[in-house]
Amino acid sequence: MVSIAVLWEDWADRAVALPAYQTAGSAGADICANFPEAERAAGLVLAPLERVVVPTGLRVAIPEGFEMQIRPRSGLALKFGITLPNSPGTIDSDYRGPLGVPLVNLGAEPFVVRHGDRVAQCVVAPVV
């Protein structure tokens, strides 16, 4: 079993869920938006074709020989056109900075990302 250390940023809202699997058969754990306190009420409006990095309030420590892949959530992609511009994104084992999720709105309407929304999913995979 692989152990990933997940650390809160000092400013993060600890009431927002940590990455979690929604079912026993889930391959990816959902990642939630976690905005700094001043931005929590308003969230973030993502205009059509706009790209933005959504903060998660987390840092991760991935063991050597593994990576964390950040992938879109299929429901957001199908219903609203929200996806990742670099899918899948990779977090390397030597990266210890903030975990942000780059999103792009390929839909025709503005999309609001609210504090605590599930915005992506992560999959831990071996690197050969």
Side-chain angles (χ1 to χ4, degrees):
M1 177 187 278
V2 178
S3 180
I4 305 293
V6 179
L7 308 168
W8 293 106
E9 295 281 2
D10 290 341
W11 54 264
D13 179 359
R14 284 152 175 80
V16 172
L18 291 172
Y21 297 99
Q22 296 301 306
T23 67
S26 294
D30 286 339
I31 300 172
C32 297
N34 194 333
F35 294 110
E37 190 169 1
E39 301 171 22
R40 291 177 188 164
L44 182 148
V45 177
L46 191 57
L49 299 180
E50 184 177 14
R51 296 177 304 274
V52 67
V53 175
V54 176
T56 66
L58 302 173
R59 292 175 185 257
V60 293
I62 301 158
E64 189 174 330
F66 292 87
E67 67 165 331
M68 180 181 281
Q69 298 175 3
I70 307 300
R71 300 179 180 182
R73 295 192 64 239
S74 57
L76 290 179
L78 179 63
K79 294 176 189 171
F80 306 106
I82 304 302
T83 190
L84 278 68
N86 64 328
S87 181
T90 294
I91 301 173
D92 298 307
S93 64
D94 60 351
Y95 178 72
R96 295 296 184 265
L99 173 59
V101 175
L103 293 182
V104 61
N105 182 354
L106 300 179
E109 302 294 326
F111 180 79
V112 179
V113 179
R114 300 192 191 293
H115 183 66
D117 280 356
R118 295 179 294 160
V119 294
Q121 55 185 327
C122 62
V123 174
V124 176
V127 175
V128 179

